[in-house]
Amino acid sequence: MSQSYRVAILGATGAVGTELLILLEERNFPLSELKLLASPRSAGGTIQFRGQDLPIEAVCAESFKDVDIVLASAGGSVSKTWVDTIVAAGAVMIDNSSAFRMNAETPLVVPEVNPQAARIHKGVIANPNCTTILMVVAIYPLHQVQPIQRIVASTYQSASGAGARAMEEVKTQSAAVLRGEEPKPEILPYPLAFNLFPHNSPILENHYCEEEMKMVQETRKIFDDPNLRITATCVRVPVLRAHSEALNLEFGQPFDVDKARSLIAQAPGVTLVEDWQKNYFPMPIDASGKDDVLVGRIRQDISHSNSLDLWLCGDQIRKGAALNAVQIAELIIEKNWLKPS
């Protein structure tokens, strides 16, 4: 990476945008220029980066002139508004929204799992949903050795998945409850402090919510297996940051537990966390701020000889969003895949 690149962050003031800035600095990303783009409401301020105060600009058509990579994390409607302008300017948009994930011409990429997919882009590469990213990083080492036939996923999703304002709302609600007051939901539909509820994305005709179907459809696309059987139940829990998932994996034949543990322990982007004597396994407080997905409690499913159970925790803002986007940017630079194929 001796060459340097011009990067724009679209949605620079949000929770993921803030994390993108941290990661670009921590990973010494090869930058020649960094533009911070946001809505007119957020424009005019500055954010410190590498010891300098960078201005926050209101996004406009001219924002993408002479930009190589756009890290977009301002929501699907914003991404759809600016995608044609970005691509026409010759930049690659790595998009964190759901706007283009299931588009047949848009690669959906997790660098530890399907890096080769990034090569065939037409100016847009999609970042998968946070729960999908965390899950596939953890289970792909097993899927490579013995294809997974069915996944039963239960997620325990923190407030961070709903953005910075939702995280603040949980703090405010928790303080209110401890004062004996009624917690007031504004960002989320129901009080989350000392409570939990099924994921707040829209309920679809099949009675699954949007978040659950994202896990189903995106995993099939990333694994390039349209017939992979997946079911998911997604729940919002009163955790500030980092999501957790309980997974049941069914294979075509028994999968040795020790072999599974060894494969996961050696996999990129994963840390094995298991202390059976102390009943110590991954927790959100341990995963927060970490790059790796923490995996543990790998065990034989006593109800099915061909199935394993495991538990994971991962930082939704980091690996579940910002880090994956930066890794995609690093990948296309390293492989010289910036230009559309």
Side-chain angles (χ1 to χ4, degrees):
M1 291 190 187
S2 56
Q3 191 176 341
S4 55
Y5 299 85
R6 299 159 297 185
V7 175
I9 298 178
L10 180 56
T13 58
V16 176
T18 301
E19 197 71 19
L20 284 166
L21 280 162
I22 293 168
L23 286 161
L24 291 174
E25 186 160 0
E26 282 184 0
R27 297 171 74 87
N28 197 27
F29 192 91
L31 290 166
S32 61
E33 183 184 355
L34 180 61
K35 288 187 178 183
L36 307 183
L37 307 176
S39 66
R41 178 172 48 101
S42 300
T46 61
I47 297 176
Q48 193 170 83
F49 179 78
R50 292 181 178 172
Q52 293 183 323
D53 289 328
L54 299 185
I56 302 167
E57 305 173 25
V59 61
C60 66
E62 292 298 307
S63 299
F64 308 106
K65 185 180 178 183
D66 298 324
V67 168
D68 299 307
I69 298 170
V70 177
L71 301 172
S73 191
S77 61
V78 175
S79 293
K80 287 177 181 177
T81 298
W82 294 109
V83 61
D84 291 340
T85 306
I86 292 168
V87 174
V92 176
M93 180 169 76
I94 300 171
D95 186 50
N96 197 55
S97 79
S98 60
F100 308 104
R101 289 174 185 158
M102 299 314 298
N103 185 321
E105 293 188 339
T106 303
L108 186 65
V109 177
V110 178
E112 294 91 342
V113 179
N114 64 333
Q116 71 287 345
R119 182 176 185 174
I120 307 173
H121 70 80
K122 300 188 185 308
V124 182
I125 300 173
N127 219 20
N129 189 46
C130 51
T131 48
T132 304
I133 292 173
L134 302 178
M135 179 173 74
V136 299
V137 168
I139 68 176
Y140 186 65
L142 308 183
H143 185 67
Q144 278 185 296
V145 172
Q146 200 169 304
I148 296 168
Q149 295 189 347
R150 183 170 185 251
I151 302 169
V152 180
S154 300
T155 73
Y156 307 77
Q157 296 181 222
S158 64
S160 66
R165 293 171 66 199
M167 294 168 73
E168 288 304 312
E169 181 166 280
V170 173
K171 294 178 185 178
T172 303
Q173 288 180 353
S174 298
V177 171
L178 293 172
R179 290 194 303 266
E181 300 170 5
E182 193 74 22
K184 296 178 180 178
E186 294 178 2
I187 307 304
L188 294 167
Y190 312 107
L192 188 56
F194 303 95
N195 190 33
L196 55 80
F197 47 82
H199 195 275
N200 48 292
S201 57
I203 298 292
L204 308 176
E205 287 186 8
N206 64 359
H207 295 172
Y208 281 70
C209 73
E210 223 172 57
E211 184 83 357
E212 291 158 352
M213 290 310 298
K214 285 177 184 177
M215 293 188 75
V216 173
Q217 294 163 347
E218 292 175 18
T219 305
R220 286 172 175 168
K221 182 172 179 177
I222 294 164
F223 280 9
D224 193 23
D225 184 355
N227 298 314
L228 181 61
R229 292 178 294 150
I230 311 172
T231 185
T233 302
C234 296
V235 179
R236 188 74 75 187
V237 296
V239 171
L240 198 61
R241 180 165 172 155
H243 290 353
S244 304
E245 303 180 20
L247 304 177
N248 179 268
L249 311 175
E250 182 182 330
F251 302 89
Q253 59 191 43
F255 202 123
D256 181 75
V257 176
D258 289 334
K259 182 178 181 180
R261 187 170 288 118
S262 175
L263 288 167
I264 287 173
Q266 297 171 46
V270 176
T271 297
L272 183 68
V273 178
E274 288 189 327
D275 189 329
W276 294 90
Q277 298 300 316
K278 294 182 179 178
N279 195 10
Y280 187 96
F281 304 103
M283 293 184 284
I285 56 172
D286 294 332
S288 294
K290 300 278 178 40
D291 287 352
D292 278 6
V293 178
L294 310 184
V295 181
R297 278 205 88 197
I298 305 165
R299 62 200 188 279
Q300 174 66 48
D301 175 357
I302 59 172
S303 73
H304 196 305
S305 61
N306 291 357
S307 297
L308 297 178
D309 289 303
L310 62 82
W311 170 258
L312 68 83
C313 294
D315 190 316
Q316 176 275 333
I317 303 175
R318 206 166 177 96
K319 180 54 184 172
L323 175 60
N324 201 73
V326 172
Q327 287 175 312
I328 292 171
E330 292 170 342
L331 171 69
I332 61 175
I333 287 171
E334 179 189 348
K335 299 291 188 180
N336 197 26
W337 293 344
L338 265 176
K339 298 300 178 186
S341 61

